[in-house]
Amino acid sequence: MDLSLAIFVQIIAAVLLIIALMVGNAVVMVYMERKVAGFIQRRPGPYEVGPWGTIQAICDSMKLLAKQLYRPGNVDLILYYLAPVLAFFPVLLLFLPIPFGPWLTALHINEGIVLILAFAGLGVLSNLLAGWASNNKFSLLGAARAVAQTVAYEIPMILALLAVVFLSGSMDLKRITEQQGQWPWEWNILLQPLAFFIYLVSLVGETNRAPFDLPEAESELTAGFHTEYSGMGFALFFLSEYANMLLVSFVAAVFFLGGYKGPIADGFWWLFIKAYAVMFFMVWIRWTFPRVRFDQLLNLNWKWLLPLGLLNLWATAIIMKIFL
Amino acid sequence: MAAPEKLLTPGEPPSLAQAQSQVDPPLINLKPVNWFFDLNRAMSLWPVTFGLACCAIEMMSASMARFDIARFGAEVFRPSVRQADLMMVTGTVTRKMATPLVRLYEQMPAPKYVMACGNCAISGGPFKFDGQYAVVEGVDQLIPVDVYVPGCPPRPEAILEGVFKIQELITGRRWWPLPREMAS
Ligand code: SF4
């Protein structure tokens, strides 16, 4: 009884901290994204609102908060309001098994990665509901694309992660971290470079970001599945998109980049530095590459990433069997 | 489903109906709250991706390297009007475009502002002559306009100045310093 109460309190505290992390992350990422976009296009980006434009993201969120909530006629009332909430809450759950530091895991379970991969699929359900409930052809097309894309990119992602799971013989995120050393040459990225590459490509597809942001391709679909959402509904989709990015970056950091381990002192700071490096990479390619076509997107996945992932898995298994 | 739209028969002029949009009064009408939200609205005016003619090129140029509207937080061009605050009518409003324009304006959620960029959007510009049948002479016949930016086309600086004017309209003061010649 005592033990379960302790765990309960621990989870409540963790969820509160994770919500704070998600919101803070969205503010930082909006600023970083617009600033990086500016620098890539040789302009300063947000500059005048606050020192170097630092409170720009807060102004934006306050404005979205005070914007008229607009509900078009003919929408499916329950699903229309449920979808943004559903986009936001599963992501919360996904942060629970991430080991932030040697003593800092919200919920230590030995199949953490299964939990993450299982609930990551719920995010796309909310996109589907949003597109369906809006009763708008562009939303529906965007939602259909989101589902096709996410389902396709989940498979190479799992194959890439599975190769690391083979290496370390565990699905526990903490143990996977513990098996990597402090220094960069002891990390899994050197043992599994191909898996890291596959994961890096498929995480962009998984989070629906450019160059794979076909669900919201504005040249064809107005704004994709969130065309009909104004104000806070839109803001929640935005928030969950950035939270999803943070999550896949955390998983990349834990699986391939040594998690919370790093030179000099272990701790959550190393995890955050690595995760934000991956996020910076995602922002960088978003503003430098044009959007791919839908058939190119699926061809890349089914014809290249999936066979490569299978081969990699196979080779890993054989090498493990022979040499270890 | 909405009533099917009436298709135009050749020769019949499109209707020039005024936009109808109703804005509810604020639920909490307190001065500090309004001041706070107005400030935030002024500092993040997201425009619609909406260009009609040659003036749109100046709008694009205003958001690119040399002029950079992003410095004032107004660079997030939203493709969906539901998420936008500012409609820059940049260019010639033809009679055929009048209906979509009015519909787009009606679809924007409440704190919404309109900037008429260029002589065409203000008064018909070079297309105004006796017997012309294709161009709406001034977008203010269709939708309420907050700020007029003259020029054919207006320079990007003028478009930036229009954004400042809208910020002044919302918050009641000018936020950025005047150019040196104007200040003296
Ligand atoms: S005002 Fe001049 S530049 Fe602007 S749309 Fe009209 S003709 Fe083109």
Side-chain angles (χ1 to χ4, degrees), chain A residues 1-12:
Chain A
M1 183 61 209
D2 260 6
L3 193 68
S4 58
L5 188 70
I7 289 179
F8 185 70
V9 170
Q10 185 188 351
I11 287 183
I12 295 288

Side-chain angles (χ1 to χ4, degrees), chain A residues 15-269:
Chain A
V15 164
L16 291 180
L17 280 178
I18 289 168
I19 292 180
L21 172 66
M22 279 169 74
V23 175
N25 170 59
V27 169
V28 172
M29 279 308 291
V30 168
Y31 179 66
M32 176 166 135
E33 178 132 32
R34 288 165 73 168
K35 238 5 198 187
V36 171
F39 289 146
I40 286 173
Q41 297 171 352
R42 295 191 66 190
R43 55 192 175 85
Y47 195 75
E48 302 285 352
V49 185
W52 294 283
T54 34
I55 59 171
Q56 183 67 57
I58 298 171
C59 279
D60 284 344
S61 52
M62 282 300 149
K63 182 210 68 178
L64 283 172
L65 193 71
K67 196 104 175 121
Q68 182 188 15
L69 268 187
Y70 199 95
R71 180 176 56 78
N74 300 321
V75 299
D76 190 326
L77 255 186
I78 301 173
L79 294 186
Y80 181 79
Y81 285 119
L82 193 64
V85 182
L86 257 189
F88 179 74
F89 276 106
V91 191
L92 258 182
L93 204 61
L94 299 181
F95 282 98
L96 286 179
I98 303 270
F100 285 97
W103 311 109
L104 207 63
T105 314
L107 180 68
H108 186 237
I109 47 176
N110 51 6
E111 271 114 19
I113 191 61
V114 178
L115 180 88
I116 289 179
L117 289 174
F119 278 96
L122 266 184
V124 75
L125 178 71
S126 73
N127 295 359
L128 178 64
L129 286 185
W132 174 255
S134 309
N135 196 10
N136 176 319
K137 56 184 177 245
F138 298 122
S139 300
L140 189 57
L141 279 172
R145 281 182 177 190
V147 173
Q149 178 179 343
T150 313
V151 168
Y153 272 85
E154 224 154 54
I155 298 168
M157 196 172 186
I158 293 176
L159 289 178
L161 294 181
L162 213 53
V164 177
V165 170
F166 275 18
L167 264 190
S168 47
S170 166
M171 291 197 182
D172 184 350
L173 294 176
K174 187 130 187 279
R175 268 192 63 194
I176 292 171
T177 312
E178 301 273 282
Q179 277 167 353
Q180 305 175 54
Q182 273 195 325
W183 297 94
W185 53 86
E186 295 165 316
W187 293 345
N188 277 341
I189 181 172
L190 279 195
L191 298 173
Q192 289 285 357
L194 186 60
F196 182 66
F197 174 73
I198 294 171
Y199 184 78
L200 215 53
V201 176
S202 53
L203 72 83
V204 181
E206 181 77 13
T207 47
N208 297 340
R209 282 178 62 82
F212 299 152
D213 66 340
L214 286 156
E216 20 194 305
E218 66 250 28
S219 46
E220 305 137 37
L221 292 182
T222 316
F225 58 87
H226 55 63
T227 302
E228 295 287 358
Y229 284 89
S230 72
M232 270 330 263
F234 169 65
L236 278 182
F237 278 121
F238 229 67
L239 200 64
S240 70
E241 180 185 323
Y242 283 125
N244 263 321
M245 276 173 72
L246 185 64
L247 181 88
V248 290
S249 308
F250 273 149
V251 173
V254 168
F255 269 73
F256 297 99
L257 303 174
Y260 56 76
K261 292 203 161 190
I264 302 167
D266 293 350
F268 63 87
W269 42 86

Side-chain angles (χ1 to χ4, degrees), chain B:
Chain B
M1 293 300 293
E5 278 169 52
K6 212 170 125 258
L7 292 178
L8 291 176
T9 45
E12 178 198 344
S15 75
L16 289 183
Q18 289 248 334
Q20 320 218 315
S21 64
Q22 135 221 355
V23 176
D24 301 332
L27 280 179
I28 308 170
N29 204 358
L30 294 175
K31 217 167 179 194
V33 177
N34 285 347
W35 176 82
F36 177 71
F37 281 125
D38 281 345
L39 191 59
N40 288 318
R41 276 170 196 147
M43 291 308 144
S44 84
L45 286 168
W46 293 2
V48 201
T49 322
F50 186 64
L52 292 177
C54 9
C55 277
I57 304 296
E58 298 301 309
M59 177 177 74
M60 293 164 207
S61 146
S63 69
M64 280 299 136
R66 194 174 278 250
F67 303 102
D68 196 15
I69 208 168
R71 287 177 294 156
F72 307 97
E75 95 279 32
V76 192
F77 282 90
R78 294 309 309 171
S80 165
V81 271
R82 301 265 189 234
Q83 296 139 17
D85 312 288
L86 170 65
M87 182 187 254
M88 294 185 188
V89 186
T90 44
T92 325
V93 186
T94 55
R95 278 180 179 249
K96 220 164 192 172
M97 195 59 198
T99 328
L101 184 135
V102 165
R103 191 180 310 149
L104 282 178
Y105 179 76
E106 284 169 350
Q107 283 178 339
M108 278 164 84
K112 52 185 170 186
Y113 311 96
V114 176
M115 185 161 117
C117 285
N119 293 348
C120 284
I122 294 174
S123 66
F127 303 106
K128 184 169 178 171
F129 52 85
D130 285 342
Q132 73 84 9
Y133 53 90
V135 170
V136 180
E137 292 174 0
V139 74
D140 47 6
Q141 295 178 11
L142 303 169
I143 57 180
V145 174
D146 291 307
V147 167
Y148 298 87
V149 180
C152 180
R155 281 192 61 84
E157 292 97 325
I159 290 180
L160 282 180
E161 192 61 40
V163 172
F164 301 163
K165 277 283 176 232
I166 288 185
Q167 291 180 341
E168 194 178 331
L169 199 80
I170 300 171
T171 53
R173 62 166 274 207
R174 188 190 166 90
W175 286 90
W176 321 113
L178 284 166
R180 211 173 294 122
E181 309 85 62
M182 278 172 77
S184 58

